[in-house]
Amino acid sequence: MKLPATSSSKAPVKFRMPTEDNLVPIRLDIETEGQRYKDAFTWNPSDPDSEVVVFAKRTVRDLKLPPQFITQIAQSIQTQLTEFRSYEGQDMYTAEKIVPIKLDLRVNHTLIKDHFLWDLNNYESDPEEFARTFCNDMGIEDPEVGPAVAFAIREQLYESVASAREIKISKKGRRGAEHAISSKGGGNALDLMKLFRYNSSVVRKRKEWYVYEPIVDILSNEEVDALEAREDRNTR
Amino acid sequence: MEMPQYDPNTKPEFELYTIPSHSSWFRWDDIHETERTALKEFFDGSSISRTPKIYKEYRDFMINKYREEPSRRLTFTQVRKSLVGDVSLLHKVFRLLDEWGLINFGAVSRGDDSDNRDSSLGDTELKNQVKIEEGAPNGVRVVALPNSLKPISVPNSGADGSGNGKVVVAGETGVKLPPLTSYLDVFGDLVKLKGFKCGSCGEQCNSGCYEYSKGSFVICEKCFKNGNYGEDKSKDDFRFSDLGGNSLTHGATWTEAETLLLLESVMRHGDNWELVAQNVPTKSKLDCISKLIELPFGEFMMGSAHEMNSSSCPTGSLNSLKEGQSASSENQNDVKMEDQVHDQMNESEQNGDAATEEPPAKRKRIAPLSDGGSSLIKQVAHISTMVGPHVTAAAAEAAVAALCNESSYPREIFDGDEDYLANGLLSPTMVSDPERALQVDASKMEENQSETQDASSEKNDVPLNLRIRTATATALGAAAANAKLLADQEDREIEHLVAIIIETQMKKLHSKINYFDDLELIMEKEYNEMMQLKECLVEERIDVLERALKTGVSKWRS
């Protein structure tokens, strides 16, 4: 009697980040008067909105940006927060869903590429803890790498739950959890049935190990400059 | 000790692996209650990706992976690439095995376990929790110059006497500093390295040196003049290079005046590092910040700078901070001696031209030396440079006299032909009250000197070296004795604190034991209740059977 677990027996949960701390990833990319400010951090949505302006002012002061940035930063943060809050009223799909997370980021002189699996339904997961373990194990000394890794994970998780929610809304007519699993953003979710079958092993074949292995590169100054120039060209 | 079951044809002999005794419940072919309770997700049937079989596979793989190389520490990142599943869950399994010592038990422990996990009972708790860090804290690397990325390692002076746990900074060799180190002790070599060392006579070339054009050989000016060029080198091969003086005021060395300026500007401007950097002309913003953090009370400055911005006297607060330091107690002695010397100077015309010194009414408020980081000798040197030469000479005499009174040998050297009767009189008076004896002694010295001035001027030449040596020897001796006292005090404090820690641990264990006793009582009561219930049931059953038999029911179903 093999029922695919109790995927629909859990009561639906209000929308939130599927991690232990409900922190929203905020990304800023503002350009004014020839100056560009790029940043990425996490925000606690239960903070009062007045904090946004305070934060914007402090940031501008610390980084010595022209004052026009204050309103733009505050606006950008507010927009992203409002978007998050608009999802909050709805229910979130709570079936188990294991998604692959790919990391491909550069922080100062460190280049990181990684690929691993994450359970969207695990509300006790902690990207920050993962980032800490990662930096410790790989012996990374740059203290800015950890938060960047955690942020990248959070961003991907946020995208996954947000898109899942949208699909659910558009498919309101359908019934049954099984349907939803298979029709959910196709390539994203892993087919649990196939992976965790009774007679298959959860240990990967050796030749696949390199796919899921993290790669950490320390770049020289010239390489960093070259990569930055390329990134700027791409985003314009 | 636990022996894994290997196929006879893969390994001819058994390998022995060590796991802690509190993990002896572990079996390869079974899952223990401990594991079931700790990782409930696998055992509640909530998902097909979490079953006991899958858990067992994860666990066995991790343990076997570790045992491929027991001496190296297995990291989570190494195993997660080989296992399919949510990484948070895998991390939980990994942590469970790590805490119970089923993996990484014999591996080199890494030092940056900053999260104080509650290890299970009996695990090497004390070793993990009572960590007294020596040297730079984690996350802070000690570098030679600010902005350079190269960490430097301290020459190990072997000061492991305290016997506490040593912390190794992750990845690189630990920067272990012995306690009571002063900045210059550790980094003195680096300061010197910036100057050049002469290749032939081994001394410092401070102002200029001669560089050998065909290689990296340097000799000082003296050697060049004397003709000591070294082997196979001739005069023409050397080039003169003037170092000037600018290599010495590099980013890493802070003079007293600069430190003082820094502290004053921080008091005035607080957080505004631009203005602070402007006020301290030779140092950049980063230098200022890092220097302030290095100072022992730098943190207080940054916090109190905001509060005291409106206070009237910045030097007053600096003074109070300075007096709080124990190292400055001797400083105060010097200050007091100087004040007394002022008085004495004007009482008797010592060297004839004392009139040029400051009048006694004006007690000069000496600018505070709030840099606790530099050594005591340096502070004394600084004070002596700030005042005029005659005052310094008088202070030196007075200091020598004070030291003399502690032991009679230097006394004899200094006053060679004095009557030893005076000696005997003076030494007993010394012990308790140094200041008064100092005055008496100093004035006595002055009288003697004015009497025997001519005679003494002749004697001065001969024992001059000896006098200097004995003076320095006694000064160093006094400093060393003081340092030992401080060290003893620290030791006692440490012992006291360790005793407190042990006590609290004991209390914790006691309360745990009490809790378990209570639990036992409750369980006993419940057991009794169950037994009673059982009896009741048996009675009822007997009752029913009796009635059934009485009514002669032949066939009854049990």
Side-chain angles (χ1 to χ4, degrees):
Chain A
M1 201 168 68
K2 219 160 68 148
L3 205 62
T6 55
S7 35
S8 52
S9 66
K10 274 205 213 145
V13 172
K14 290 294 170 195
F15 185 85
R16 48 158 287 168
M17 287 290 289
T19 55
E20 193 162 353
D21 307 313
N22 189 19
L23 300 173
V24 181
I26 305 264
R27 195 180 270 282
L28 297 176
D29 188 356
I30 303 174
E31 187 159 0
T32 309
E33 292 183 7
Q35 268 192 320
R36 191 149 178 228
Y37 168 58
K38 279 186 80 165
D39 201 355
F41 49 86
T42 51
W43 187 271
N44 187 347
S46 51
D47 275 349
D49 281 352
S50 51
E51 282 295 314
V52 175
V53 178
V54 173
F55 173 80
K57 285 199 184 136
R58 210 173 345 121
T59 309
V60 165
R61 193 190 73 172
D62 286 345
L63 297 175
K64 310 229 178 352
L65 302 168
Q68 295 91 319
F69 273 92
I70 300 184
T71 39
Q72 300 206 322
I73 291 176
Q75 256 176 29
S76 178
I77 299 179
Q78 198 64 41
T79 320
Q80 299 183 51
L81 274 180
T82 321
E83 193 185 338
F84 177 78
R85 294 225 175 88
S86 71
Y87 298 153
E88 258 180 342
Q90 290 137 16
D91 294 339
M92 204 157 81
Y93 193 69
T94 60
E96 178 177 355
K97 186 166 163 208
I98 296 193
V99 297
I101 301 236
K102 288 205 176 71
L103 293 181
D104 186 1
L105 52 130
R106 179 187 69 81
V107 180
N108 298 338
H109 287 253
T110 315
L111 191 73
I112 297 185
K113 284 202 196 340
D114 202 355
H115 182 189
F116 47 87
L117 301 170
W118 196 282
D119 180 5
L120 274 188
N121 204 30
N122 182 1
Y123 286 88
E124 292 163 356
S125 59
D126 193 355
E128 277 76 25
E129 190 193 7
F130 179 85
R132 244 178 300 143
T133 315
F134 184 85
C135 290
N136 284 341
D137 289 347
M138 307 300 289
I140 295 175
E141 290 154 352
D142 189 352
E144 293 186 28
V145 172
V149 167
F151 179 84
I153 297 174
R154 256 188 211 278
E155 214 177 15
Q156 294 188 40
L157 293 178
Y158 183 40
E159 275 172 47
S160 303
V161 288
S163 64
R165 187 200 54 86
E166 282 171 11
I167 292 179
K168 178 161 199 260
I169 287 184
S170 65
K171 294 202 162 113
K172 250 189 188 162
R174 303 251 190 117
R175 249 164 284 130
E178 290 83 349
H179 270 293
I181 289 182
S182 50
S183 60
K184 180 89 27 105
N188 224 3
L190 292 183
D191 196 345
L192 298 176
M193 309 282 291
K194 216 193 292 176
L195 271 183
F196 293 101
R197 251 192 341 235
Y198 187 70
N199 45 355
S200 71
S201 162
V202 283
V203 182
R204 287 205 184 99
K205 303 192 186 56
R206 236 169 236 272
K207 60 183 183 184
E208 287 181 17
W209 285 5
Y210 78 98
V211 177
Y212 292 91
E213 192 169 7
I215 299 176
V216 177
D217 256 337
I218 310 279
L219 307 168
S220 67
N221 284 337
E222 297 84 16
E223 290 170 329
V224 169
D225 292 335
L227 276 176
E228 273 182 6
R230 209 179 310 148
E231 281 166 19
D232 281 345
R233 256 181 281 133
N234 284 344
T235 51
R236 275 171 217 249
Chain B
M1 299 290 229
E2 191 252 9
M3 303 212 282
Q5 320 278 336
Y6 276 108
D7 274 346
N9 39 357
T10 52
K11 283 246 158 77
E13 69 227 8
F14 285 127
E15 306 232 344
L16 297 177
Y17 299 98
T18 321
I19 59 171
S21 53
H22 57 265
S23 308
S24 51
W25 44 262
F26 174 72
R27 295 284 172 271
W28 278 106
D29 38 11
D30 194 13
I31 301 176
H32 193 255
E33 276 310 305
T34 323
E35 302 169 271
R36 280 177 201 272
T37 39
L39 295 167
K40 290 195 191 58
E41 303 96 326
F42 288 100
F43 303 100
D44 53 12
S46 56
S47 153
I48 58 164
S49 71
R50 296 193 287 264
T51 64
K53 167 182 172 285
I54 290 179
Y55 163 69
K56 191 166 180 311
E57 275 197 69
Y58 288 159
R59 176 194 79 179
D60 295 349
F61 181 84
M62 288 189 194
I63 297 183
N64 282 327
K65 187 92 184 146
Y66 165 66
R67 290 183 177 185
E68 285 171 15
E69 184 63 54
S71 58
R72 69 115 162 85
R73 191 184 174 86
L74 184 68
T75 61
F76 172 63
T77 310
Q78 285 168 318
V79 286
R80 66 134 155 115
K81 68 179 184 226
S82 326
L83 295 171
V84 175
D86 176 29
V87 288
S88 309
L89 198 59
L90 285 172
H91 195 40
K92 246 182 135 177
V93 177
F94 184 85
R95 267 209 318 265
L96 177 78
L97 297 177
D98 201 17
E99 281 169 10
W100 280 97
L102 292 165
I103 58 177
N104 290 334
F105 188 57
V108 175
S109 72
R110 65 175 184 197
D112 52 350
D113 274 340
S114 50
D115 46 344
N116 290 331
R117 324 194 272 256
D118 270 338
S119 343
S120 37
L121 273 178
D123 203 359
T124 50
E125 298 182 285
L126 281 180
K127 197 167 76 163
N128 282 338
Q129 287 172 8
V130 181
K131 264 187 204 161
I132 296 176
E133 306 218 354
E134 289 184 27
N138 293 327
V140 175
R141 281 185 304 150
V142 184
V143 296
L145 304 166
N147 288 338
S148 82
L149 290 178
K150 218 172 11 130
I152 55 174
S153 60
V154 175
N156 234 334
S157 49
D160 293 341
S162 54
N164 294 316
K166 290 180 274 289
V167 175
V168 176
V169 177
E172 50 199 35
T173 58
V175 179
K176 299 179 199 159
L177 298 175
L180 299 182
T181 314
S182 80
Y183 179 76
L184 277 179
D185 288 348
V186 174
F187 301 116
D189 296 333
L190 292 166
V191 175
K192 272 191 237 151
L193 276 174
K194 292 207 203 84
F196 286 98
K197 257 201 163 123
C198 173
S200 48
C201 64
E203 283 183 5
Q204 285 282 324
C205 315
N206 284 323
S207 57
C209 61
Y210 284 86
E211 252 185 67
Y212 188 50
S213 53
K214 292 182 197 157
S216 59
F217 196 71
V218 165
I219 58 171
C220 64
E221 290 186 70
K222 257 193 292 177
C223 291
F224 189 76
K225 288 194 193 110
N226 295 341
N228 298 348
Y229 300 136
E231 311 164 359
D232 303 331
K233 298 178 182 70
S234 66
K235 185 173 183 174
D236 304 326
D237 292 334
F238 281 90
R239 231 182 340 110
F240 182 71
S241 64
D242 191 4
L243 294 174
N246 39 5
S247 61
L248 291 177
T249 54
H250 221 272
T253 54
W254 279 73
T255 67
E256 301 288 346
E258 287 174 335
T259 318
L260 182 61
L261 266 178
L262 167 69
L263 288 166
E264 282 184 6
S265 19
V266 168
M267 293 300 301
R268 250 180 296 141
H269 304 298
D271 234 359
N272 199 336
W273 297 108
E274 301 290 334
L275 291 175
V276 171
Q278 273 172 23
N279 280 346
V280 185
T282 50
K283 294 286 182 291
S284 74
K285 195 166 68 163
L286 278 170
D287 288 339
C288 293
I289 299 179
S290 50
K291 175 66 181 171
L292 194 67
I293 294 177
E294 275 170 31
L295 291 178
F297 50 85
E299 307 266 325
F300 291 120
M301 296 292 298
M302 296 203 278
S304 63
H306 297 290
E307 298 161 13
M308 293 200 198
N309 252 338
S310 53
S311 75
S312 48
C313 181
T315 49
S317 59
L318 285 174
N319 258 340
S320 63
L321 281 173
K322 168 192 152 197
E323 281 169 14
Q325 299 175 22
S326 55
S328 61
S329 58
E330 294 208 18
N331 251 349
Q332 291 177 6
N333 270 341
D334 284 351
V335 173
K336 281 192 211 136
M337 283 199 292
E338 278 191 317
D339 288 340
Q340 287 157 12
V341 164
H342 272 283
D343 298 340
Q344 288 153 23
M345 281 278 298
N346 298 294
E347 282 168 7
S348 67
E349 274 102 6
Q350 162 120 5
N351 291 330
D353 44 353
T356 54
E357 297 308 327
E358 299 91 341
K362 179 179 168 192
R363 290 243 165 168
K364 187 166 81 167
R365 187 154 197 155
I366 301 165
L369 306 166
S370 22
D371 187 352
S374 65
S375 62
L376 182 60
I377 307 284
K378 195 161 188 277
Q379 286 177 337
V380 173
H382 180 59
I383 295 179
S384 52
T385 53
M386 284 197 302
V387 296
H390 299 295
V391 179
T392 318
E397 306 257 22
V400 162
L403 291 168
C404 279
N405 287 324
E406 294 179 9
S407 66
S408 55
Y409 299 112
R411 195 89 178 103
E412 289 171 14
I413 294 173
F414 279 107
D415 307 306
D417 57 349
E418 276 203 17
D419 39 340
Y420 294 95
L421 203 58
N423 250 349
L425 275 178
L426 282 169
S427 33
T429 62
M430 158 60 196
V431 184
S432 50
D433 200 345
E435 291 174 6
R436 225 186 316 133
L438 192 59
Q439 271 187 332
V440 169
D441 184 50
S443 48
K444 208 174 190 312
M445 271 186 68
E446 287 159 23
E447 289 167 16
N448 288 339
Q449 285 214 337
S450 53
E451 285 171 7
T452 61
Q453 198 148 21
D454 301 320
S456 61
S457 60
E458 289 165 1
K459 282 185 313 198
N460 269 351
D461 305 320
V462 174
L464 187 65
N465 273 346
L466 198 55
R467 289 167 72 160
I468 292 176
R469 260 190 256 141
T470 44
T472 45
T474 40
L476 288 173
N482 201 23
K484 183 168 192 311
L485 281 176
L486 288 173
D488 284 341
Q489 208 178 8
E490 290 277 345
D491 269 341
R492 279 196 295 266
E493 261 194 59
I494 292 173
E495 279 177 30
H496 183 58
L497 289 173
V498 170
I500 291 179
I501 291 173
I502 294 178
E503 252 190 68
T504 39
Q505 292 279 40
M506 293 272 295
K507 280 192 205 148
K508 190 168 89 170
L509 284 174
H510 274 306
S511 62
K512 275 193 188 169
I513 290 176
N514 287 342
Y515 175 72
F516 279 120
D517 281 339
D518 289 339
L519 206 63
E520 248 191 79
L521 276 174
I522 295 176
M523 297 303 269
E524 270 193 46
K525 280 195 201 145
E526 277 197 35
Y527 180 74
N528 289 338
E529 275 178 38
M530 299 287 272
M531 296 308 289
Q532 278 183 10
L533 210 59
K534 193 172 160 191
E535 281 186 34
C536 281
L537 283 175
V538 170
E539 278 181 22
E540 277 185 38
R541 195 162 179 216
I542 293 177
D543 218 10
V544 168
L545 285 177
E546 271 185 21
R547 278 201 224 137
L549 286 175
K550 256 193 244 169
T551 55
V553 174
S554 53
K555 259 191 194 173
W556 46 271
R557 291 202 185 85
S558 60

